[in-house]
Amino acid sequence: MTSRFTGDSMDPDRYTVEELREAALRGKGELSRPLALSLLGRKDYRQKTRDMSRLLMKEGETPRLRAMAATILGQSATPAAKRALRRGLEIEDDVALRGVIEGLSMAGGESEREALRVLSRRRGAIGTAVRAAGQLLEHRHGLRGSNVRVPEKQLRVSARLATEITVRSASVKRAGEAIAAVSQKAAALRLSAQGALTLKCLGKTLMFVPTTELAGGAERITRSKAEAGVVLARQELEGKGWEVQHHVLTEPERSGGARIVVTSPRGRVLYTGTASVRKDGSADFRLRAVDTPGVAAIDIRGTFRDGRVRIDRAKSDPRRRRRSPAPSELPGEG
């Protein structure tokens, strides 16, 4: 019998769409429903939006599966998927509702940002998720709104204990492969393989990928909010694939430059800095870690010119960080 596993990962191509639909939607077959739904989300088939919409809106269905269906809808970012997610804002279960908010943060635009406002006064995890989603959509589409709240204190890097962060230019081919992998999960991201960088930091393989807007010149970030790029993390466990680890957001400053804010996918501020932008579209920037649990001190300095980021200094000091908080019922993020 042919194995349906490839290394440490499950290969969705070893299953037909019908096999996965039977397992995910009806609980029939050898796979658990969550695993089958995860694999089904990586398939492209005609009834996909309809299947996910029905699963999302099915009252009495497992909240985890409803949340997964919402995320899959967000990954596709089609008009029909976004309509289904806006309907999902009426769901009362908090777990499923957080999936809807996450889906909208991946796929939405100005109308989805406005739709999220109905939940903006909610407290707790829902309120936090709504604010993070709105924040990301405002930057991605250059919309007006409040600036990101950033902790004032930054972590200093010790000259004696700091280690180098290895930075190299990523080949267009490798960056293209990473973008293709991420685009399957976040179709709304507009990324450019030109100017991508690979980084080796604290045992992790990362890749900075600029958005197409940044590739056009740094003066864009002095006019309105922007998503300048993303930091992707290599999925080391499975040995292949990439996932978004950080969003690099920018906000104009009165000085004519821009503030840089790097957040986790759930909106937690991790790093911050400034960019001084020249009239020719080039810029100098510096980035440091904020004093928040679980974040190691870094000091990154560089320039942006002709559509490319160049790193002149990149240091990390893993001993300079506060301990992460104890795990809660709903896990946080790094």
Side-chain angles (χ1 to χ4, degrees), residues 299-327:
D299 188 357
I300 296 178
R301 306 181 197 188
T303 58
F304 176 80
R305 185 183 296 275
D306 298 327
R308 293 181 178 273
V309 174
R310 175 181 172 181
I311 303 297
D312 301 315
R313 169 191 168 94
K315 298 276 188 178
S316 175
D317 186 355
R319 302 186 190 190
R320 292 287 182 93
R321 69 166 132 190
R322 282 200 282 143
R323 291 178 178 269
S324 296

Side-chain angles (χ1 to χ4, degrees), residues 84-101:
L85 287 168
R86 289 196 295 270
R87 290 195 299 271
L89 289 170
E90 301 175 1
I91 291 173
E92 295 183 0
D93 179 85
D94 279 4
V95 173
L97 186 55
R98 283 191 62 175
V100 171
I101 296 166

Side-chain angles (χ1 to χ4, degrees), residues 37-328:
L37 185 58
S38 176
L39 296 175
L40 185 60
R42 293 158 63 182
K43 294 278 195 178
D44 185 17
Y45 66 101
R46 188 171 56 85
Q47 310 101 313
K48 187 173 182 178
T49 298
R50 185 188 65 185
D51 284 348
M52 297 306 125
S53 301
R54 288 178 175 177
L55 182 58
L56 171 63
M57 300 306 296
K58 187 177 180 180
E59 294 206 17
E61 182 56 89
T62 306
R64 179 187 176 190
L65 292 178
R66 298 177 79 183
M68 290 177 67
T71 302
I72 292 169
L73 288 168
Q75 290 169 357
S76 70
T78 63
K82 289 190 279 188
R83 287 195 296 271
L85 287 168
R86 289 196 295 270
R87 290 195 299 271
L89 289 170
E90 301 175 1
I91 291 173
E92 295 183 0
D93 179 85
D94 279 4
V95 173
L97 186 55
R98 283 191 62 175
V100 171
I101 296 166
E102 182 180 352
L104 287 170
S105 76
M106 292 189 291
E110 186 168 7
S111 59
E112 283 71 37
R113 194 275 303 264
E114 291 301 316
L116 284 166
R117 290 185 185 276
V118 301
L119 300 175
S120 60
R121 295 189 178 182
R122 289 279 296 269
R123 296 181 179 180
I126 294 299
T128 299
V130 166
R131 287 187 290 274
Q135 170 184 292
L136 183 58
L137 293 175
E138 285 171 5
H139 287 79
R140 181 169 294 159
H141 299 284
L143 307 175
R144 292 185 179 182
S146 301
N147 285 347
V148 180
R149 293 183 180 180
V150 177
E152 293 184 4
K153 187 176 180 181
Q154 294 181 318
L155 298 175
R156 292 182 177 274
V157 170
S158 167
R160 183 173 61 86
L161 300 175
T163 58
E164 292 280 349
I165 299 173
T166 304
V167 182
R168 293 189 176 89
S169 295
S171 69
V172 173
K173 179 181 178 181
R174 191 180 190 202
E177 291 171 350
I179 291 171
V182 171
S183 296
Q184 293 179 355
K185 301 178 182 178
L189 279 173
R190 299 183 295 274
L191 302 176
S192 171
Q194 297 290 338
L197 300 173
T198 57
L199 303 91
K200 293 280 189 178
C201 182
L202 302 180
K204 289 185 177 181
T205 300
L206 306 173
M207 183 182 292
F208 168 75
V209 184
T211 59
T212 54
E213 286 184 304
L214 183 65
E219 68 275 3
R220 158 69 176 84
I221 66 177
T222 67
R223 297 194 298 266
S224 64
K225 292 180 178 181
E227 183 173 18
V230 293
V231 177
L232 310 180
R234 182 77 173 174
Q235 296 175 332
E236 302 291 353
L237 181 61
E238 294 188 358
K240 64 178 182 178
W242 296 83
E243 60 186 356
V244 175
Q245 179 147 321
H246 306 313
H247 294 278
V248 182
L249 312 178
T250 60
E251 298 171 345
E253 292 191 321
R254 292 182 179 178
S255 62
R259 182 174 68 156
I260 305 170
V261 183
V262 181
T263 72
S264 73
R266 292 187 178 178
R268 190 159 72 95
V269 177
L270 307 174
Y271 310 99
T272 186
T274 57
S276 301
V277 182
R278 303 183 186 89
K279 291 182 179 180
D280 64 0
S282 63
D284 298 317
F285 66 89
R286 184 178 186 183
L287 198 64
R288 296 167 67 183
V290 300
D291 188 9
T292 190
V295 178
I298 64 166
D299 188 357
I300 296 178
R301 306 181 197 188
T303 58
F304 176 80
R305 185 183 296 275
D306 298 327
R308 293 181 178 273
V309 174
R310 175 181 172 181
I311 303 297
D312 301 315
R313 169 191 168 94
K315 298 276 188 178
S316 175
D317 186 355
R319 302 186 190 190
R320 292 287 182 93
R321 69 166 132 190
R322 282 200 282 143
R323 291 178 178 269
S324 296
S328 61

